[in-house]
Amino acid sequence: MKLKVKFQILILTALTFLGAISIFNTINIYVEDKKAFVNEVAINSMSSSKKQILFYELLVNGIFTKFESQLATGSKEKPLSSKQDLIKCIFKFEYAKLSAKSCQADISMLDHNKLSGILEQLAPKLKDGVNFIEEKFVVYINTKENTKFISVSLISEFVNFISDNLGEHIISFSNGEIFYENEQLRKFPKLGEVDNVELRETEENFVASFFLKDLGLGVGKVIEKSLILRSLYTFIESGVQITLVTIGIFIVVSLVWVNKIVNPLKVLTGFTEKISKGDFSNKIQIKTRDEFRTLGDSFNYMQDQLVTYIEGEKEKVRLEKEMQVTKVIQDSFFQNTEYRGSKLQVSGYYKAASECGGDWWGATNLSGKEFILIGDATGHGAPAAMITAMVYSCVKTIKNTIGKERVLTPADILNQLNLAIHNKSHNYNMTFFACSWDSNNRILEFANASHNPPFLMSLDSPKSRADITPLTGKIGKRLGEAEDSTYQNERIHLDNSQHILFGYTDGITELENVDGKQYGDGRLIRTFIKLSNQNLEDFGTNLTQSLEEFQGDMELLDDVTFFKAILG
């Protein structure tokens, strides 16, 4: 079977299937969602009426307040503004006697005196809230001690104010009166006294209602089913018609354009076969001005990118070989994992986050004193490795030059390293800690360039958190951050007991596990105390195991370095 015929059958099948699904979903809206649709429409309508009634209450109380203020200041009674057309009159009764009133100036349908007399008779009996009197007046009453404020509105205007023209209303009032917008509504049962909107269904109607207890006002709305479902029926009919018409149009268009679709596909198929054989010398040329031309251009772009990718992979292999060589060179910067002096033993550990890292530690004898050094360059990888190379070379140069001429301090070392690293052409820098141990005078001297303070603890102590002394001192700027940085020496005189000195980089405390949690300072301190009595080899092994167990399958994000020294 030719591709053309297959394509025609595929399009017809797909359009028929999609049409069937569309019609099914449209019918399903009516079958399953009718009640939800009706409920939403009714509740929205009643919620709108409820908001209007609450606004009515707010409006009337505002007018009462303004009226009372005018009376209190001795102003003459002013007619109500015609802008408040809903409120025809307001009255003030004190001790059941009319004391003041205000009505709209252009009202001709009300007999003010007659209405005043009616209210004077009924006022003592009417409750606060919304009342219905004389079968045409809506009366809102608000009592303050012995004073009653009363507003009067026409029932027809009140209904129009709260209505959205959907259905007919039944309204129960605070004084027990009930208003029926249509006499046929009297057959419906009494409204419930539920604050939330309540929806009931009869054979021909939906009845929605709510009750406002503070106003004594219940509002019901009777909505014909045919009215509320009319929009749903229209939507379903339109959906089916649009679906059928759309399917017909797509069938005609697909049959007309199928040849123009198949031919570019043949060109693309031949092109991919050539690429699969490693022939990247050809370009696709599609003359149609449609998506297939764009697809052809994409294939040409893909071919160019593929050639670039292959060349990039070759370059990547070359760089990886160079990085392996760089790693071998960097590994030579690190001395053996242990260093032993006259009265100093040091054991260290280093693990890079990538092929090359930015951490470095070392121990050496300078000017007759034992020095321990540890640093952490910005980031990791090749740039950070270059910084460690500079530090290593600088330390060796210092040892073989000025270190033989005069006695150096840790601050001297940091000053020399800072000058070596600082360069205005790059922003790489390094945190660093340097200390020297004078075993004859038992003086530990140190200087810090924004590095994590190491822990110092006597082996004769109870080995609790309180026995740990962080070597903070005055913290200087990172190496390479500023050319004029200076560093200050700090001294500690130790007693004759052996002491532990533990230094580390932030790759330990910021080590993350698969849950995104960090190893943290607290966990490191607890582990350090737990392992403090162990010899150098066991200490390094067990701390490394603790770090690896915490890390689990999480990728190492930063270099990890630490050392433990025993000061004798």
Side-chain angles (χ1 to χ4, degrees):
M1 187 180 293
K2 293 184 178 181
L3 179 62
K4 176 179 178 180
V5 178
K6 290 181 179 179
F7 199 64
Q8 289 175 337
I9 293 174
L10 178 63
I11 291 177
L12 291 173
T13 303
L15 291 174
T16 303
F17 180 71
L18 291 174
I21 291 177
S22 179
I23 293 174
F24 174 79
N25 288 337
T26 303
I27 295 174
N28 192 57
I29 290 175
Y30 176 74
V31 174
E32 296 185 359
D33 295 344
K34 179 178 70 175
K35 186 173 182 180
F37 176 80
V38 169
N39 188 68
E40 182 178 359
V41 172
I43 288 178
N44 287 342
S45 176
M46 294 304 286
S47 296
S48 176
S49 296
K50 191 174 183 180
K51 290 178 181 178
Q52 285 296 97
I53 292 173
L54 295 175
F55 177 69
Y56 162 79
E57 180 187 17
L58 185 65
L59 174 67
V60 175
N61 282 324
I63 295 174
F64 285 164
T65 302
K66 184 176 181 181
F67 182 55
E68 186 177 18
S69 176
Q70 290 175 354
L71 295 176
T73 57
S75 302
K76 293 183 178 181
E77 297 174 7
K78 297 180 180 179
L80 288 177
S81 171
S82 59
K83 293 181 180 179
Q84 308 294 347
D85 190 56
L86 178 64
I87 312 302
K88 302 301 180 184
C89 291
I90 56 173
F91 297 84
K92 179 180 180 182
F93 284 83
E94 293 181 294
Y95 299 96
K97 296 296 182 180
L98 178 63
S99 61
K101 68 178 180 179
S102 177
C103 295
Q104 291 187 23
D106 57 349
I107 294 179
S108 59
M109 74 286 291
L110 294 178
D111 186 336
H112 298 173
N113 295 329
K114 182 179 179 181
L115 183 59
S116 299
I118 294 172
L119 291 176
E120 224 169 343
Q121 292 178 353
L122 296 178
K125 303 175 183 179
L126 296 178
K127 301 178 181 178
D128 278 13
V130 184
N131 299 266
F132 184 47
I133 63 172
E134 298 295 307
E135 296 185 352
K136 64 178 179 179
F137 297 122
V138 175
V139 176
Y140 174 74
I141 299 178
N142 187 347
T143 302
K144 298 179 181 179
E145 297 181 351
N146 295 314
T147 302
K148 282 190 176 184
F149 287 93
I150 300 176
S151 75
V152 178
S153 304
L154 296 176
I155 183 63
S156 58
E157 294 181 356
F158 180 78
V159 172
N160 288 336
F161 182 75
I162 68 171
S163 173
D164 59 358
N165 298 321
L166 181 65
E168 296 180 316
H169 292 77
I170 303 173
I171 305 175
S172 64
F173 293 88
S174 180
N175 60 338
E177 296 291 328
I178 300 178
F179 168 77
Y180 296 94
E181 195 171 359
N182 187 315
E183 285 298 318
Q184 295 180 358
L185 301 181
R186 293 181 180 273
K187 65 182 180 181
F188 288 96
K190 184 180 179 181
L191 300 177
E193 295 187 357
V194 180
D195 182 61
N196 295 326
V197 177
E198 187 178 38
L199 183 65
R200 291 175 288 174
E201 184 177 359
T202 67
E203 186 175 346
E204 298 179 351
N205 302 280
F206 294 104
V207 182
S209 63
F210 63 83
F211 182 76
L212 297 176
K213 185 176 180 181
D214 291 343
L215 299 178
L217 186 69
V219 178
K221 184 177 290 189
V222 180
I223 311 168
E224 293 183 13
K225 287 185 176 181
S226 59
L227 178 64
I228 200 171
L229 293 175
R230 188 176 302 158
S231 59
L232 182 60
Y233 297 149
T234 302
F235 170 74
I236 294 173
E237 292 174 1
S238 300
V240 173
Q241 292 172 1
I242 292 172
T243 300
L244 294 176
V245 171
T246 303
I247 291 175
I249 292 173
F250 269 104
I251 290 175
V252 173
V253 172
S254 64
L255 293 176
V256 172
W257 288 94
V258 69
N259 286 329
K260 293 185 178 181
I261 295 175
V262 172
N263 290 335
L265 288 176
K266 291 180 179 179
V267 175
L268 294 172
T269 301
F271 180 75
T272 55
E273 290 177 354
K274 292 180 179 179
I275 290 180
S276 65
K277 296 177 182 179
D279 182 2
F280 300 103
S281 61
N282 298 289
K283 295 288 184 181
I284 295 179
Q285 293 183 351
I286 297 178
K287 298 180 179 180
T288 59
R289 297 182 178 180
D290 54 18
E291 287 78 4
F292 280 104
R293 182 171 182 175
T294 303
L295 184 60
D297 293 339
S298 298
F299 266 80
N300 291 331
Y301 176 76
M302 179 193 68
Q303 178 180 259
D304 294 339
Q305 292 297 308
L306 187 58
V307 172
T308 303
Y309 174 76
I310 293 173
E311 294 299 324
E313 284 297 302
K314 294 179 181 178
E315 180 67 13
K316 183 178 179 181
V317 171
R318 184 185 67 80
L319 290 175
E320 286 178 350
K321 291 181 179 179
E322 292 183 358
M323 288 295 290
Q324 290 174 358
V325 174
T326 304
K327 184 178 186 303
V328 172
I329 295 173
Q330 188 186 31
D331 288 344
S332 68
F333 299 163
F334 291 89
Q335 59 197 65
N336 296 329
T337 55
E338 289 193 14
Y339 171 87
R340 295 184 180 272
S342 58
K343 290 188 179 182
L344 174 68
Q345 300 177 54
V346 186
S347 177
Y349 172 83
Y350 164 75
K351 184 176 181 180
S354 58
E355 288 82 0
C356 301
D359 286 2
W360 182 79
W361 79 275
T364 187
N365 188 297
L366 278 172
S367 307
K369 293 188 291 187
E370 310 285 357
F371 275 79
I372 306 175
L373 312 168
I374 186 170
D376 182 0
T378 305
H380 52 269
M386 296 301 295
I387 299 297
T388 62
M390 294 172 61
V391 168
Y392 172 76
S393 300
C394 187
V395 170
K396 292 207 70 174
T397 302
I398 293 172
K399 179 176 180 180
N400 295 321
T401 55
I402 60 175
K404 294 182 178 181
E405 299 173 357
R406 60 186 178 92
V407 177
L408 298 176
T409 67
D412 293 332
I413 301 294
L414 295 188
N415 286 326
Q416 294 296 323
L417 293 178
N418 180 63
L419 293 175
I421 295 176
H422 178 75
N423 192 319
K424 294 181 180 179
S425 63
H426 66 71
N427 293 322
Y428 295 110
N429 47 60
M430 190 177 198
T431 66
F432 210 87
F433 176 86
C435 69
S436 65
W437 170 234
D438 182 354
S439 57
N440 294 327
N441 298 308
R442 302 200 62 77
I443 295 176
L444 179 65
E445 190 172 22
F446 63 91
N448 195 331
S450 296
H451 194 77
N452 304 81
F455 302 157
L456 179 67
M457 184 172 70
S458 172
L459 282 174
D460 292 343
S461 68
K463 299 178 183 61
S464 65
R465 186 183 290 258
D467 298 313
I468 297 175
T469 301
L471 300 185
T472 53
K474 184 175 181 181
I475 306 290
K477 294 181 179 179
R478 291 173 292 184
L479 299 181
E481 187 173 346
E483 186 176 9
D484 58 352
S485 295
T486 58
Y487 303 94
Q488 182 172 317
N489 289 309
E490 303 283 345
R491 284 189 169 195
I492 297 179
H493 291 266
L494 303 184
D495 57 30
N496 291 327
S497 64
Q498 285 190 327
H499 286 71
I500 305 170
L501 180 62
F502 174 71
Y504 61 97
T505 61
D506 59 12
I508 292 182
T509 54
E510 295 176 4
L511 179 71
E512 291 188 3
N513 60 15
V514 292
D515 297 325
K517 295 181 179 179
Q518 293 187 343
Y519 195 81
D521 295 315
R523 191 188 306 272
L524 177 60
I525 292 173
R526 291 193 297 273
T527 306
F528 168 70
I529 293 173
K530 179 181 177 182
L531 304 178
S532 59
N533 279 330
Q534 297 182 355
N535 59 41
L536 293 178
E537 182 178 354
D538 291 343
F539 178 90
T541 300
N542 291 324
L543 177 55
T544 303
Q545 181 180 352
S546 173
L547 295 173
E548 291 175 348
E549 289 176 353
F550 178 83
Q551 178 186 0
D553 296 329
M554 182 64 181
E555 176 187 2
L556 187 62
L557 302 178
D558 195 7
D559 307 329
V560 173
T561 305
F562 66 83
F563 71 79
K564 176 186 176 182
I566 297 179
L567 310 178

